[in-house]
Short mmCIF file of all heavy atoms in Angstrom, two decimals:
data_model
loop_
_atom_site.label_atom_id
_atom_site.label_comp_id
_atom_site.label_asym_id
_atom_site.label_seq_id
_atom_site.Cartn_x
_atom_site.Cartn_y
_atom_site.Cartn_z
N PHE A 36 58.96 108.73 84.54
CA PHE A 36 58.17 107.49 84.51
C PHE A 36 58.40 106.68 85.78
O PHE A 36 57.44 106.24 86.43
CB PHE A 36 58.58 106.66 83.28
CG PHE A 36 58.06 105.26 83.29
CD1 PHE A 36 56.81 104.96 82.80
CD2 PHE A 36 58.83 104.22 83.81
CE1 PHE A 36 56.32 103.66 82.83
CE2 PHE A 36 58.35 102.92 83.85
CZ PHE A 36 57.10 102.65 83.35
N SER A 37 59.67 106.51 86.14
CA SER A 37 60.00 105.71 87.33
C SER A 37 59.40 106.35 88.57
O SER A 37 58.82 105.67 89.43
CB SER A 37 61.51 105.61 87.52
OG SER A 37 62.11 105.25 86.33
N PHE A 38 59.55 107.67 88.64
CA PHE A 38 59.07 108.37 89.82
C PHE A 38 57.56 108.22 89.96
O PHE A 38 57.04 107.92 91.04
CB PHE A 38 59.46 109.85 89.73
CG PHE A 38 59.01 110.65 90.91
CD1 PHE A 38 59.60 110.48 92.15
CD2 PHE A 38 57.96 111.54 90.79
CE1 PHE A 38 59.16 111.20 93.24
CE2 PHE A 38 57.51 112.26 91.87
CZ PHE A 38 58.12 112.08 93.11
N LEU A 39 56.85 108.40 88.84
CA LEU A 39 55.38 108.27 88.88
C LEU A 39 54.97 106.85 89.25
O LEU A 39 54.05 106.64 90.04
CB LEU A 39 54.79 108.64 87.52
CG LEU A 39 54.84 110.12 87.14
CD1 LEU A 39 54.40 110.32 85.69
CD2 LEU A 39 53.97 110.94 88.07
N ALA A 40 55.69 105.88 88.68
CA ALA A 40 55.36 104.48 88.97
C ALA A 40 55.64 104.17 90.44
O ALA A 40 54.88 103.43 91.08
CB ALA A 40 56.17 103.57 88.06
N VAL A 41 56.70 104.76 90.98
CA VAL A 41 57.03 104.53 92.38
C VAL A 41 55.95 105.12 93.29
O VAL A 41 55.49 104.50 94.25
CB VAL A 41 58.41 105.15 92.70
CG1 VAL A 41 58.60 105.34 94.19
CG2 VAL A 41 59.52 104.27 92.14
N VAL A 42 55.51 106.34 92.94
CA VAL A 42 54.47 106.99 93.75
C VAL A 42 53.17 106.19 93.67
O VAL A 42 52.50 105.94 94.68
CB VAL A 42 54.24 108.44 93.26
CG1 VAL A 42 53.01 109.05 93.91
CG2 VAL A 42 55.47 109.29 93.56
N ARG A 43 52.83 105.77 92.44
CA ARG A 43 51.62 104.97 92.27
C ARG A 43 51.72 103.68 93.09
O ARG A 43 50.78 103.28 93.76
CB ARG A 43 51.44 104.62 90.78
CG ARG A 43 50.28 103.72 90.51
CD ARG A 43 50.24 103.30 89.05
NE ARG A 43 49.33 102.18 88.87
CZ ARG A 43 49.63 100.91 89.09
NH1 ARG A 43 50.86 100.59 89.48
NH2 ARG A 43 48.75 99.96 88.91
N GLY A 44 52.91 103.05 93.01
CA GLY A 44 53.12 101.81 93.74
C GLY A 44 52.99 102.03 95.25
O GLY A 44 52.42 101.21 95.97
N ALA A 45 53.51 103.18 95.70
CA ALA A 45 53.46 103.48 97.13
C ALA A 45 52.01 103.62 97.59
O ALA A 45 51.63 103.11 98.65
CB ALA A 45 54.23 104.77 97.41
N PHE A 46 51.21 104.29 96.78
CA PHE A 46 49.81 104.48 97.16
C PHE A 46 49.02 103.18 97.08
O PHE A 46 48.10 102.97 97.84
CB PHE A 46 49.15 105.53 96.26
CG PHE A 46 49.40 106.94 96.71
CD1 PHE A 46 50.33 107.74 96.08
CD2 PHE A 46 48.72 107.45 97.81
CE1 PHE A 46 50.57 109.03 96.51
CE2 PHE A 46 48.95 108.74 98.25
CZ PHE A 46 49.88 109.54 97.61
N ASN A 47 49.38 102.35 96.13
CA ASN A 47 48.61 101.12 95.92
C ASN A 47 49.13 99.95 96.74
O ASN A 47 48.51 98.91 96.76
CB ASN A 47 48.63 100.72 94.44
CG ASN A 47 47.73 101.62 93.63
OD1 ASN A 47 46.97 102.39 94.19
ND2 ASN A 47 47.82 101.51 92.32
N ARG A 48 50.30 100.14 97.36
CA ARG A 48 50.91 98.99 98.00
C ARG A 48 50.01 98.39 99.08
O ARG A 48 49.89 97.19 99.23
CB ARG A 48 52.27 99.34 98.60
CG ARG A 48 53.00 98.07 99.08
CD ARG A 48 54.47 98.30 99.29
NE ARG A 48 55.07 98.86 98.10
CZ ARG A 48 55.52 100.10 98.01
NH1 ARG A 48 55.46 100.89 99.07
NH2 ARG A 48 56.03 100.55 96.91
N GLY A 49 49.34 99.28 99.83
CA GLY A 49 48.45 98.81 100.88
C GLY A 49 47.44 97.83 100.32
O GLY A 49 47.19 96.77 100.88
N ALA A 50 46.86 98.21 99.17
CA ALA A 50 45.85 97.34 98.55
C ALA A 50 46.50 96.09 97.98
O ALA A 50 45.93 94.99 98.05
CB ALA A 50 45.13 98.11 97.44
N ASP A 51 47.70 96.25 97.43
CA ASP A 51 48.37 95.11 96.78
C ASP A 51 48.75 94.02 97.77
O ASP A 51 48.69 92.84 97.46
CB ASP A 51 49.64 95.59 96.05
CG ASP A 51 49.30 96.45 94.84
OD1 ASP A 51 48.13 96.41 94.42
OD2 ASP A 51 50.19 97.16 94.35
N ILE A 52 49.21 94.44 98.96
CA ILE A 52 49.70 93.43 99.89
C ILE A 52 48.71 93.15 101.02
O ILE A 52 49.02 92.44 101.96
CB ILE A 52 51.07 93.83 100.47
CG1 ILE A 52 50.93 95.08 101.37
CG2 ILE A 52 52.09 94.05 99.41
CD1 ILE A 52 52.20 95.38 102.14
N ALA A 53 47.51 93.74 100.92
CA ALA A 53 46.51 93.54 101.97
C ALA A 53 46.17 92.06 102.07
O ALA A 53 46.13 91.35 101.08
CB ALA A 53 45.26 94.34 101.64
N GLY A 54 45.91 91.64 103.32
CA GLY A 54 45.53 90.25 103.52
C GLY A 54 44.16 89.98 102.93
O GLY A 54 43.21 90.75 103.14
N ALA A 55 44.06 88.89 102.20
CA ALA A 55 42.78 88.57 101.55
C ALA A 55 41.77 88.10 102.59
O ALA A 55 40.57 88.10 102.35
CB ALA A 55 43.00 87.50 100.50
N ASP A 56 42.27 87.69 103.74
CA ASP A 56 41.37 87.13 104.77
C ASP A 56 41.17 88.10 105.93
O ASP A 56 40.97 87.70 107.06
CB ASP A 56 41.93 85.80 105.27
CG ASP A 56 43.33 85.96 105.85
OD1 ASP A 56 43.91 87.07 105.69
OD2 ASP A 56 43.85 85.01 106.46
N ARG A 57 41.29 89.40 105.62
CA ARG A 57 41.09 90.38 106.70
C ARG A 57 40.05 91.42 106.30
O ARG A 57 39.99 91.85 105.14
CB ARG A 57 42.41 91.09 107.02
CG ARG A 57 43.36 90.25 107.85
CD ARG A 57 44.37 91.10 108.59
NE ARG A 57 45.29 91.78 107.70
CZ ARG A 57 46.59 91.49 107.61
NH1 ARG A 57 47.10 90.52 108.34
NH2 ARG A 57 47.37 92.16 106.80
N LEU A 58 39.27 91.85 107.28
CA LEU A 58 38.30 92.93 107.08
C LEU A 58 38.68 94.09 107.98
O LEU A 58 39.32 93.90 109.04
CB LEU A 58 36.89 92.46 107.46
CG LEU A 58 36.31 91.26 106.71
CD1 LEU A 58 34.92 90.93 107.27
CD2 LEU A 58 36.20 91.56 105.22
N VAL A 59 38.29 95.28 107.60
CA VAL A 59 38.50 96.47 108.43
C VAL A 59 37.13 97.08 108.70
O VAL A 59 36.35 97.31 107.77
CB VAL A 59 39.41 97.49 107.74
CG1 VAL A 59 39.54 98.76 108.58
CG2 VAL A 59 40.78 96.90 107.47
N THR A 60 36.86 97.30 109.96
CA THR A 60 35.57 97.90 110.34
C THR A 60 35.83 99.29 110.93
O THR A 60 36.61 99.42 111.88
CB THR A 60 34.86 97.02 111.39
OG1 THR A 60 34.61 95.74 110.81
CG2 THR A 60 33.54 97.64 111.81
N ILE A 61 35.18 100.29 110.33
CA ILE A 61 35.34 101.67 110.82
C ILE A 61 33.95 102.25 111.11
O ILE A 61 32.93 101.66 110.73
CB ILE A 61 36.07 102.57 109.80
CG1 ILE A 61 35.25 102.68 108.51
CG2 ILE A 61 37.47 102.05 109.51
CD1 ILE A 61 35.80 103.73 107.54
N ASN A 62 33.92 103.39 111.75
CA ASN A 62 32.66 104.09 111.97
C ASN A 62 32.09 104.51 110.62
O ASN A 62 32.82 105.00 109.76
CB ASN A 62 32.90 105.33 112.86
CG ASN A 62 31.60 105.96 113.33
OD1 ASN A 62 30.77 106.38 112.50
ND2 ASN A 62 31.41 106.00 114.64
N ARG A 63 30.79 104.30 110.42
CA ARG A 63 30.17 104.57 109.13
C ARG A 63 30.31 106.04 108.74
O ARG A 63 30.40 106.37 107.54
CB ARG A 63 28.68 104.20 109.20
CG ARG A 63 27.98 104.22 107.88
CD ARG A 63 26.55 103.70 108.02
NE ARG A 63 25.95 103.54 106.73
CZ ARG A 63 26.16 102.51 105.92
NH1 ARG A 63 26.95 101.53 106.31
NH2 ARG A 63 25.59 102.44 104.74
N VAL A 64 30.38 106.94 109.73
CA VAL A 64 30.48 108.38 109.43
C VAL A 64 31.87 108.71 108.90
O VAL A 64 32.03 109.35 107.85
CB VAL A 64 30.17 109.22 110.69
CG1 VAL A 64 30.38 110.71 110.43
CG2 VAL A 64 28.76 108.95 111.18
N SER A 65 32.89 108.26 109.59
CA SER A 65 34.27 108.58 109.20
C SER A 65 35.22 107.76 110.05
O SER A 65 34.88 107.35 111.17
CB SER A 65 34.53 110.07 109.42
OG SER A 65 35.90 110.32 109.51
#
Side-chain angles (χ1 to χ4, degrees):
Chain A
F36 168 86
S37 311
F38 180 71
L39 289 172
V41 162
V42 170
R43 176 186 166 277
F46 276 103
N47 285 350
R48 189 163 306 111
D51 291 344
I52 67 171
D56 59 350
R57 283 202 294 249
L58 300 178
V59 176
T60 299
I61 63 171
N62 190 300
R63 190 174 188 80
V64 176
S65 160

